[in-house]
Amino acid sequence: MKVLKFGGKSLANGKGIHKVIDIIESKVNNGELITVVLSARGKTTDELETILNKAANSQCYVEELETFKKYQIADYENFNVDKEFETLDKLFEGVSLLGDYSKRIKDQVLSQGEVISAKLLTHILKGKGINANYTDSRELIKTDGKFGEAQPLDTLSKENVVNHFKKYNGTTVNIVTGFIASNTNNETTTLGRNGSNYTAALLANYLDAEELQNFTHVNGIYTANPDLVADAKKIEKLSFKEANELAYFGANILHAKTIIPLIEKNIPLRILNTFDHQNNGTLITAETNKKGIKSLSVLENVSLVNLEGRGLLGKVGVDARIFKALAYKNISVSIISQGSSERGIGLVVAADRAVEAKKVLEQEFEADFYKRDVNTITVENDVSVISIIGQDLSTFHKPYNSLIKNQVVPLLFNNTVTGKNVSLVVYKHQLHKALNVIHGEIFGVAKKINIAVFGHGLVGGTLIDQILESAKVIEKRKRIDLNIFAVANSKKILLNNKGIDTSWRSNIKEGNAYEIQDVIRFAEQHHLENLIAIDNTASAKFTDNYITLVANGFDLVSSNKVANTLSFDFYKELRVKLEEHQKQYLYETNVGAGLPLIDTIRLLHLSGENITRIKGVFSGSLSYLFNTFSKEDRPFSEVLKEAIDKGFTEPDPREDLCGNDVGRKLLILARELDLSNEFADVNIHNLIPEALRAGEAKEFLDRLQELDVVYEDIKSSQNPSHVLRYIGDLHGDLFKEKGVLDVKLVSVPESSALGQVKGSDSIFEIYTESYGDQPIVIQGAGAGAAVTARGVFGDILRLTEKG
């Protein structure tokens, strides 16, 4: 025989109850011998409890009760449960008059849900010609007198069950009420949380069933709750031991007491989906297929009670006193954790018992308060417990570090004696994010990186396209899921927690005005983890948001040079905040576009290598201008106009010719060497004659020929075989607080490294004590949207690896 148990969602009106009928009919037609255990239908139990509370508070409940009755008989005109409805009417009327109710009355009220459910299914099956027998489990399962959480009397209950099934041996299907039982005085009791599953497990045990099949609304047990973790995977097989741990630590479709009767007789439990009953579900047996982490489970409706006191240092037996005091008041402790000094002890109790637990402990430790051995006893509400079933403590640092990186700091953690399960207490509002972070870290699924891109011009737009094109390949190769959830310009933002697509350019036109807090709130509301903010603007104003973003869990990647060239005080403050919040800030493209310059300098400096000088051609735009002008016999204005037309310069080329951009890049490198230079310290040779520095861009462009005489004189005054290069030069005693920073136009031999630069390439010479006069040379494309975007992309990928 197989015992089938159907839950409330499976039995709800409409598709649910029809699927249940189909499953039972199919098994009967296949000649299977089955017994069916039922919960109350839909939200019946919650509705009855709501009506009961209204009645007790002298509130009008008639409308809710009528709605309840209509739901129970909807679509089944010939189905009669007048007796059950009359019972409810009398019970509610009595509660309303008294203004209160006992647990005994509550059990009587709630029991009607299962009775109606079982009678309806029996009625439907008989209508289909199936020989079904309604079985009231109150006649079978006998319990102690503890209403609301009754314990079965095994010997008597087993005898009743065996005799009943002998009597109805010829009956095709026994339809049994779950959850409810009765005491030896035949008063209705209930089996507590997960009671219907417990009823099914008891019947399976007493009848030596072949298998218990628990039909729910999901395809089995998952690595995490699929409603909270989209990437959760179904577990094909579990051991009883693992299932018992999952049940203890809050798995919704399991309960510890439902597992025990099955373990005693080694009866397999299969978790199946009513709405997809062809799926094999999850099979729970005495053995499992493989070792390792199996699942995350969540315990909610709990509170954390903290006991703190310096005077407890070295005292033995504090935890024993806690357990004894709480046990006297029947308050269960699900998790307890303490420091080795016993200075601080945290324990998790049911939320509705937390205040009482605090009072009990205050009484127990009254003398310790007087002696100041105990300082405080506090209660932290709005918390949840996450348990990692199968987590070895030796590898726990991986999910723990990921939590910290995502600004989820566990309030308490505890591991079992075997060291194979770890439980964390987190704030409830961080539960969703915490689950996704841990799941992504330990189950080998793609790690989701949530990206907000600010600025979608040439570089930003190219970057977005590159990410969208490469996302699938990166996910396959590196198990990294790059999700762009925000794209913004200075006025509008496009938000989508599931990620923008290739139509983002047209969609952002319909975007909304925003402030940076809107992005932060959106990430919090959608529990987005592993956040990265990308600054592809050239805005000084946007850098005001950096510290706010860091404080709210974002790593930073920037092609915007401004933040690193503002005041040295801001530069230091940003890095203090980055360290404080354990965030990263990468900006490889600030100097040299996609060239690996900043990383190289940083590694040399961190390794103790003494860098004595850095010089080179920092600007791809000016590299093209002077490479071409030096090589070709053409007027300077003509070459400049060509550079403008090819997009090598800004629309107003004075932004390039003034030298400030090169100055900023040189300052960034100086600060990488821990020099405290300010931008005002940079000696910049402005390439624009003073008479042309003011006015509109159009006026300047109309007067380009005025530059020809100036630069022809400079070019002609060079030594033979020399060329012009506009360079940045960091030199002086770089062991002091500040270095010397020069940005200037120089004439160099054509055969030198600087002289051989072609096109719009950049070149950087890094001189160190170890290399002497032979510098480390880094050369390549130093400008261009595609190159810069690829460099930003590289920084993003570096961050994903560091996380």
Side-chain angles (χ1 to χ4, degrees):
M1 174 189 285
K2 292 180 182 177
V3 176
L4 280 58
K5 185 267 172 180
F6 292 95
K9 289 184 179 179
S10 298
L11 293 161
N13 280 352
K15 183 180 179 181
I17 195 162
H18 294 305
K19 284 286 186 181
V20 171
I21 298 298
D22 290 344
I23 292 169
I24 294 173
E25 204 171 5
S26 172
K27 289 184 178 292
V28 170
N29 291 338
N30 289 335
E32 294 185 49
L33 183 61
I34 60 173
T35 291
V36 178
V37 178
L38 302 181
S39 297
R41 301 198 305 121
K43 297 180 179 179
T44 291
T45 303
D46 291 339
E47 290 168 359
L48 288 172
E49 191 163 358
T50 298
I51 297 169
L52 182 62
N53 288 325
K54 280 199 164 189
N57 290 313
S58 300
Q59 297 175 353
C60 183
Y61 59 85
V62 175
E63 187 177 339
E64 286 91 339
L65 183 55
E66 287 306 310
T67 301
F68 168 83
K69 290 177 179 179
K70 286 178 183 177
Y71 180 88
Q72 298 300 324
I73 59 175
D75 302 326
Y76 304 101
E77 293 179 2
N78 298 324
F79 175 53
N80 189 312
V81 280
D82 289 346
K83 179 183 174 185
E84 286 70 28
F85 288 167
E86 287 172 13
T87 299
L88 288 172
D89 289 339
K90 290 177 181 177
L91 287 168
F92 290 139
E93 186 178 347
V95 169
S96 182
L97 288 170
L98 290 171
D100 199 2
Y101 61 86
S102 63
K103 289 183 178 180
R104 174 174 168 273
I105 294 297
K106 183 177 179 179
D107 279 357
Q108 290 179 44
V109 169
L110 298 186
S111 69
Q112 302 307 309
E114 273 69 22
V115 170
I116 294 170
S117 179
K119 285 190 172 182
L120 174 61
L121 198 69
T122 305
H123 170 80
I124 297 170
L125 290 172
K126 284 183 174 179
K128 289 181 169 288
I130 294 174
N131 187 15
N133 177 56
Y134 165 73
T135 303
D136 190 333
S137 57
R138 289 175 293 191
E139 298 175 6
L140 306 181
I141 308 295
K142 291 297 177 179
T143 69
D144 60 17
K146 188 181 179 185
F147 297 105
E149 193 76 44
Q151 294 300 312
L153 304 173
D154 268 331
T155 303
L156 183 55
S157 297
K158 181 175 181 179
E159 183 181 338
N160 291 341
V161 169
V162 171
N163 289 337
H164 175 85
F165 277 81
K166 280 181 181 177
K167 181 178 178 181
Y168 292 96
N169 194 35
T171 301
T172 304
V173 186
N174 277 289
I175 308 298
V176 186
T177 56
F179 179 58
I180 64 177
S182 65
N183 61 23
T184 52
N185 295 323
N186 292 324
E187 295 172 304
T188 298
T189 57
T190 59
L191 301 179
R193 177 178 173 242
N194 238 265
S196 292
N197 288 340
Y198 195 18
T199 303
L202 290 171
L203 290 182
N205 179 296
Y206 299 155
L207 296 170
D208 293 320
E210 173 190 343
E211 184 173 276
L212 170 55
Q213 297 183 347
N214 187 347
F215 285 85
T216 68
H217 64 290
V218 293
N219 281 338
I221 296 175
Y222 282 73
T223 51
N225 185 339
D227 294 334
L228 297 175
V229 180
D231 295 327
K233 307 298 180 188
K234 192 187 80 172
I235 301 170
E236 297 296 332
K237 193 173 181 182
L238 279 171
S239 68
F240 282 127
K241 182 179 179 182
E242 290 162 338
N244 202 36
E245 293 284 356
L246 279 171
Y248 179 78
F249 288 111
N252 290 335
I253 55 179
L254 292 172
H255 194 280
K257 65 185 180 185
T258 70
I259 303 295
I260 295 169
L262 304 177
I263 294 174
E264 288 177 358
K265 294 287 186 72
N266 199 19
I267 298 169
L269 168 62
R270 193 181 293 275
I271 309 297
L272 296 162
N273 189 346
T274 303
F275 304 94
D276 182 16
H277 63 275
Q278 299 303 317
N279 190 293
N280 289 328
T282 298
L283 180 63
I284 302 171
T285 62
E287 296 182 2
T288 188
N289 284 332
K290 58 181 181 180
K291 295 180 180 179
I293 297 164
K294 290 298 180 183
S295 186
L296 304 180
S297 64
V298 174
L299 203 58
E300 296 192 82
N301 301 315
V302 294
S303 293
L304 175 64
V305 180
N306 289 306
L307 176 77
E308 296 179 14
R310 293 180 178 276
L312 299 178
L313 178 63
K315 285 195 175 182
V316 178
V318 174
D319 51 350
R321 290 173 62 189
I322 291 171
F323 277 114
K324 183 178 179 181
L326 294 176
Y328 184 75
K329 291 292 184 178
N330 202 29
I331 298 173
S332 176
V333 176
S334 54
I335 294 171
I336 187 167
S337 183
Q338 65 183 51
S340 58
S341 66
E342 296 196 16
R343 280 173 50 181
I345 298 175
L347 48 130
V348 175
V349 299
D352 59 359
R353 305 296 302 277
V355 173
E356 186 182 358
K358 181 174 182 284
K359 289 179 181 177
V360 168
L361 293 176
E362 285 173 342
Q363 292 170 0
E364 171 65 27
F365 290 93
E366 184 176 1
D368 302 87
F369 271 107
Y370 181 76
K371 291 186 291 184
R372 297 187 179 179
D373 286 343
V374 174
N375 300 329
T376 58
I377 297 176
T378 58
V379 174
E380 193 77 60
N381 295 309
D382 297 319
V383 299
S384 299
V385 178
I386 300 173
S387 294
I388 314 174
I389 308 304
Q391 171 69 62
D392 195 313
L393 200 58
S394 64
T395 56
F396 176 61
H397 63 281
K398 295 178 181 178
Y400 184 82
N401 289 341
S402 289
L403 286 173
I404 300 301
K405 183 181 183 299
N406 280 278
Q407 297 190 313
V408 178
V409 181
L411 303 172
L412 174 147
F413 82 91
N414 164 275
N415 71 298
T416 57
V417 175
T418 62
K420 295 297 183 182
N421 303 316
V422 175
S423 295
L424 308 168
V425 179
V426 299
Y427 286 114
K428 189 175 290 185
H429 71 271
Q430 293 184 317
L431 172 64
H432 197 137
K433 180 195 277 191
L435 279 171
N436 280 273
V437 168
I438 296 171
H439 192 273
E441 186 64 43
I442 65 179
F443 284 105
V445 296
K447 177 181 179 181
K448 182 163 281 187
I449 308 296
N450 289 289
I451 300 168
V453 179
F454 298 93
H456 56 82
L458 278 175
V459 173
T462 304
L463 171 67
I464 293 168
D465 293 338
Q466 287 177 351
I467 292 174
L468 293 176
E469 285 174 20
S470 308
K472 288 185 178 178
V473 174
I474 289 172
E475 183 172 0
K476 185 177 180 181
R477 289 180 180 175
K478 290 183 166 286
R479 291 188 173 275
I480 293 169
D481 178 8
L482 299 176
N483 180 58
I484 303 176
F485 75 92
V487 175
N489 53 41
S490 60
K491 295 179 180 178
K492 291 184 176 182
I493 191 165
L494 175 65
L495 292 165
N496 188 332
N497 64 298
K498 293 183 179 178
I500 58 106
D501 57 27
T502 52
S503 59
W504 66 268
R505 282 185 174 84
S506 58
N507 291 340
I508 199 168
K509 293 175 183 176
E510 307 300 322
N512 300 311
Y514 75 102
E515 295 178 352
I516 204 68
Q517 287 297 335
D518 296 323
V519 182
I520 292 166
R521 273 193 295 271
F522 184 87
E524 288 176 348
Q525 288 166 2
H526 292 89
H527 314 287
L528 302 182
E529 73 273 26
N530 301 318
L531 298 165
I532 302 178
I534 314 294
D535 179 11
N536 289 316
T537 73
S539 166
K541 184 179 179 183
F542 186 79
T543 62
D544 293 342
N545 298 314
Y546 278 21
I547 288 174
T548 301
L549 287 165
V550 167
N552 284 278
F554 284 80
D555 287 301
L556 302 176
V557 172
S558 179
S559 62
N560 181 0
K561 294 178 280 291
V562 174
N564 283 325
T565 58
L566 293 172
S567 72
F568 192 62
D569 286 341
F570 174 80
Y571 184 89
K572 289 188 293 183
E573 182 187 5
L574 176 58
R575 278 147 182 82
V576 167
K577 293 297 180 183
L578 288 163
E579 185 174 354
E580 180 183 325
H581 295 284
Q582 299 191 39
K583 297 284 105 183
Q584 299 285 328
Y585 171 34
L586 300 185
Y587 42 88
E588 184 64 64
T589 57
N590 275 195
V591 187
L595 297 177
L597 176 65
I598 291 176
D599 258 4
T600 301
I601 290 170
R602 186 178 292 148
L603 286 170
L604 286 169
H605 185 58
L606 288 174
S607 68
E609 182 64 77
N610 292 322
I611 295 175
T612 57
R613 186 174 193 173
I614 301 172
K615 70 174 182 177
V617 175
F618 283 64
S619 168
S621 308
L622 298 180
S623 179
Y624 177 84
L625 179 62
F626 285 104
N627 292 345
T628 306
F629 178 63
S630 295
K631 184 176 67 174
E632 300 179 11
D633 188 17
R634 295 163 60 192
F636 186 81
S637 60
E638 184 180 316
V639 177
L640 177 56
K641 183 69 168 58
E642 182 180 84
I644 296 168
D645 293 341
K646 288 187 174 183
F648 284 125
T649 71
E650 297 295 330
D652 185 346
R654 287 176 296 184
E655 293 183 30
D656 298 285
L657 295 170
C658 72
N660 286 347
D661 184 62
V662 175
R664 289 192 189 94
K665 292 175 179 178
L666 192 62
L667 178 60
I668 289 168
L669 298 189
R671 288 178 171 179
E672 287 298 314
L673 301 182
D674 296 324
L675 299 173
S676 57
N677 289 87
E678 300 283 3
F679 186 67
D681 298 329
V682 187
N683 306 307
I684 299 176
H685 174 189
N686 191 328
L687 297 171
I688 309 165
E690 198 160 333
L692 296 176
R693 291 177 188 177
E696 298 295 323
K698 185 179 183 306
E699 182 185 348
F700 174 75
L701 294 173
D702 290 340
R703 298 173 63 186
L704 288 182
Q705 289 82 358
E706 295 179 31
L707 298 168
D708 291 345
V709 174
V710 176
Y711 287 99
E712 190 56 44
D713 286 347
I714 295 172
K715 180 178 178 181
S716 60
S717 64
Q718 296 183 99
N719 291 328
S721 301
H722 275 58
V723 290
L724 296 173
R725 296 291 182 262
Y726 192 70
I727 69 165
D729 189 1
L730 171 61
H731 58 103
D733 188 346
L734 303 187
F735 298 105
K736 292 185 176 179
E737 184 180 352
K738 292 186 176 184
V740 178
L741 288 78
D742 292 326
V743 175
K744 56 192 176 182
L745 184 64
V746 297
S747 176
V748 298
E750 193 173 1
S751 60
S752 67
L754 292 177
Q756 293 182 50
V757 175
K758 301 290 191 294
S760 61
D761 278 6
S762 292
I763 186 171
F764 304 93
E765 298 179 337
I766 305 169
Y767 293 84
T768 69
E769 283 188 353
S770 298
Y771 286 84
D773 293 334
Q774 298 297 317
I776 299 168
V777 178
I778 297 174
Q779 181 177 350
V787 171
T788 305
R790 191 61 69 183
V792 174
F793 202 165
D795 277 348
I796 294 170
L797 294 177
R798 283 189 194 92
L799 276 179
T800 65
E801 291 169 358
K802 289 182 181 182

